[in-house]
Amino acid sequence: MRTLISTAFVSLDGVMEAPGGEPGYRNSGWTFKDVEFLPEAFEIKGREQEEAAAMLLGRTSYKSFSAVWPDMEDFATYKVMPKYVVSTTLTDDDLVTNWGDTTILRTLDDVAALKETEGGPIIIHGSATLNHGLADAGLIDRYHLLVFPLLLGAGKRLFSTTDKDTQKLRLTEHEAYPNGLQKNVFDVLH
């Protein structure tokens, strides 16, 4: 079974919306404002590209990332990696042609079936709504979180508010950095 890894920049109060400057959110670009950049805090992002064998995105994140990541040297590894987009509305005509093989999945059952295939880890970037559904369905296996020392208040959150049974996590890696960022890697105990 393939490992499904959710990776996110999150504020201390759990907001993950528009960390890189995506329009429409009042705190857009919060990862680069008022937090000193320390390369060592972002080491995990490079490691994710090396370790992941595929990428999974929701429709909104796919549209945001596919507009810029294909031409960014920092994300060159993702260009050739197979990508899967979970959407009930996208069609093949909506997919970009300069970002490698992309497959549209329609349901969480399709994601569960993908996890059963051969291959390495599948990484999920952004995709708040998709993360909620996957976590609620027990499909996420690991979280890679860079927690920023900020309280953003309103905004899309990484974790859903669904009333469900407790999901236990095991902290497998952590580090705190002088700029206040924390790296936390959790395995979900199924």
Side-chain angles (χ1 to χ4, degrees), residues 72-87:
M72 292 180 70
E73 187 61 35
D74 288 347
F75 301 108
T77 305
Y78 286 147
K79 187 169 186 165
V80 296
M81 184 179 294
K83 282 162 277 309
Y84 300 89
V85 183
V86 181
S87 173

Side-chain angles (χ1 to χ4, degrees), residues 98-111:
N98 63 336
W99 206 23
D101 291 337
T102 304
T103 302
I104 298 171
L105 304 177
R106 297 295 180 197
T107 68
L108 294 182
D109 288 338
D110 292 340
V111 176

Side-chain angles (χ1 to χ4, degrees), residues 4 16-17 26 29 32 39 80 89 91 127 153 156 163-164:
L4 194 55
M16 65 178 294
E17 186 170 355
R26 68 182 176 85
F32 304 108
V80 296
T89 59
T91 67
S127 307
K156 292 180 185 175
D163 186 11
K164 61 183 176 190

Side-chain angles (χ1 to χ4, degrees), residues 41-63:
F42 295 89
E43 170 276 334
I44 194 168
K45 305 317 284 176
R47 188 168 17 127
E48 289 169 350
Q49 287 189 62
E50 293 171 12
E51 294 174 356
M55 188 186 314
L56 180 69
L57 299 163
R59 177 190 49 81
T60 302
S61 291
Y62 173 79
K63 285 185 169 185

Side-chain angles (χ1 to χ4, degrees), residues 37-160:
F37 178 76
L38 295 176
E40 61 271 25
F42 295 89
E43 170 276 334
I44 194 168
K45 305 317 284 176
R47 188 168 17 127
E48 289 169 350
Q49 287 189 62
E50 293 171 12
E51 294 174 356
M55 188 186 314
L56 180 69
L57 299 163
R59 177 190 49 81
T60 302
S61 291
Y62 173 79
K63 285 185 169 185
S64 292
F65 296 150
S66 68
V68 293
W69 281 15
D71 298 321
M72 292 180 70
E73 187 61 35
D74 288 347
F75 301 108
T77 305
Y78 286 147
K79 187 169 186 165
V80 296
M81 184 179 294
K83 282 162 277 309
Y84 300 89
V85 183
V86 181
S87 173
T88 58
T89 59
L90 281 182
T91 67
D92 287 338
D93 290 339
D94 297 317
L95 302 177
V96 298
T97 59
N98 63 336
W99 206 23
D101 291 337
T102 304
T103 302
I104 298 171
L105 304 177
R106 297 295 180 197
T107 68
L108 294 182
D109 288 338
D110 292 340
V111 176
L114 175 64
K115 282 186 63 171
E116 296 292 332
T117 63
E118 294 292 321
I122 303 166
I123 194 103
I124 309 161
H125 285 279
S127 307
T129 302
L130 178 59
N131 263 284
H132 295 174
L134 293 169
D136 291 348
L139 293 173
I140 295 178
D141 301 299
R142 183 176 303 138
Y143 290 96
H144 290 183
L145 306 178
L146 278 180
V147 182
F148 284 70
L150 304 168
L151 298 175
L152 298 174
K156 292 180 185 175
R157 291 186 159 30
L158 177 59
F159 301 105
S160 80

